[in-house]
Amino acid sequence: MKAVGILGSARYNGNTAQFLDAALAGAQEGGAQIKRYDLYTLKYTGCVSCFACKRIGGASHGRCAVSDDLKPVLDDVLTADLLFIASPVYFGDVTGEVRSFLERLWFPGLLYRRDGAVSYDRHLKVGLLYTMNVEDPIECGYSSLFEQNQRICEAYLGKTQTIWAADTCQFDDYSKYDSSVFDSEHKQLMRKEKFPEDLRTAHNFGFNLARSI
């Protein structure tokens, strides 16, 4: 069993990375071989609308034809059993790097066919993981983001579940940054008491997904 983790944050040991690593560790404990890709280390674009993935009889039918640093990542994902995609939420959405990754992953799976067929065999189990600074993502209207990404992943890849860690701590010392809207003591308390709980949740999430395969 193979589990692939996609990190969509530039902070390679930040909140999102730790959240993803906890899920991967859980999956490993559940019997998976794990691998993590850091999108910010790669050179790639989003979908370029070449439509090679739609050309009947073409060499890239049902697969992304763009050859760049993301191609081997996509190949690895499509041969995995379990996929974790982790992103911080910026302005109510995933990072640009994650969006470009998702375009390149999703679009080749979409066939413009009346019968609704897709090009992938939909065998993947997918875990979507989000971290965010806001205290309540539902109150902030993030439900549409979570639901849309889960719906599309389920349509093309397979059964998908979502978890998140909210009210994360961004800085070690808030006094050094223009951030007076935040209560520094509250944020430090969240880092000390809540985030470890979030990491345990992510670990159990990864373990349970791996064991379900």
Side-chain angles (χ1 to χ4, degrees):
M1 184 200 323
K2 181 169 72 173
V4 172
I6 303 296
L7 177 64
S9 170
R11 299 173 64 199
Y12 305 127
N13 194 37
N15 296 320
T16 310
Q18 293 177 57
F19 203 44
L20 173 61
D21 285 346
L24 286 171
Q28 186 174 47
E29 187 177 317
Q33 294 182 328
I34 62 173
K35 187 168 186 178
R36 184 180 112 175
Y37 290 100
D38 298 350
L39 293 183
Y40 276 77
T41 67
L42 307 177
K43 293 183 179 180
Y44 64 98
T45 69
C47 176
V48 298
S49 295
C50 67
F51 296 109
C53 61
K54 307 288 183 284
R55 185 175 292 276
I56 297 172
S60 296
H61 182 264
R63 295 292 185 272
C64 184
V66 178
S67 182
D68 57 17
D69 286 357
L70 196 62
K71 184 172 179 56
V73 178
L74 295 172
D75 291 341
D76 208 12
V77 165
L78 293 175
T79 59
D81 304 287
L82 181 55
L83 170 65
F84 296 101
I85 305 171
S87 178
V89 177
Y90 295 159
F91 297 99
D93 208 342
V94 295
T95 61
E97 283 67 18
V98 171
R99 178 64 196 183
S100 293
F101 165 79
L102 290 174
E103 289 177 3
R104 296 274 298 279
L105 177 63
W106 287 340
F107 192 57
L110 168 64
L111 301 176
Y112 294 140
R113 288 172 46 173
R114 293 179 181 175
D115 62 4
V118 301
S119 67
Y120 302 147
D121 62 14
R122 301 183 71 252
H123 74 281
L124 272 170
K125 292 286 185 71
V126 182
L128 301 178
L129 300 91
Y130 303 93
T131 63
M132 62 212 70
N133 187 43
V134 301
E135 294 185 17
D136 188 337
I138 306 305
E139 185 178 281
C140 288
Y142 292 178
S143 294
S144 58
L145 168 69
F146 302 155
E147 292 168 3
Q148 175 174 277
N149 288 344
Q150 182 165 324
R151 176 178 55 80
I152 299 174
C153 281
E154 288 194 333
Y156 301 127
L157 302 174
K159 184 64 177 177
T160 303
Q161 298 180 50
T162 301
I163 61 171
W164 61 79
D167 205 6
T168 55
C169 184
Q170 294 173 286
F171 314 121
D172 290 329
D173 185 352
Y174 275 75
S175 68
K176 294 180 179 179
Y177 300 90
D178 199 350
S179 58
S180 60
V181 71
F182 299 116
D183 182 333
S184 177
E185 291 185 3
H186 168 77
K187 285 294 189 180
Q188 294 298 338
L189 183 64
M190 291 299 98
R191 171 176 284 177
K192 180 180 179 180
E193 296 186 357
K194 182 178 178 295
F195 194 57
E197 294 179 4
D198 292 330
L199 296 181
R200 286 190 289 272
T201 296
H203 183 278
N204 292 336
F205 182 66
F207 176 81
N208 291 331
L209 278 178
R211 292 297 295 267
S212 71
I213 295 173

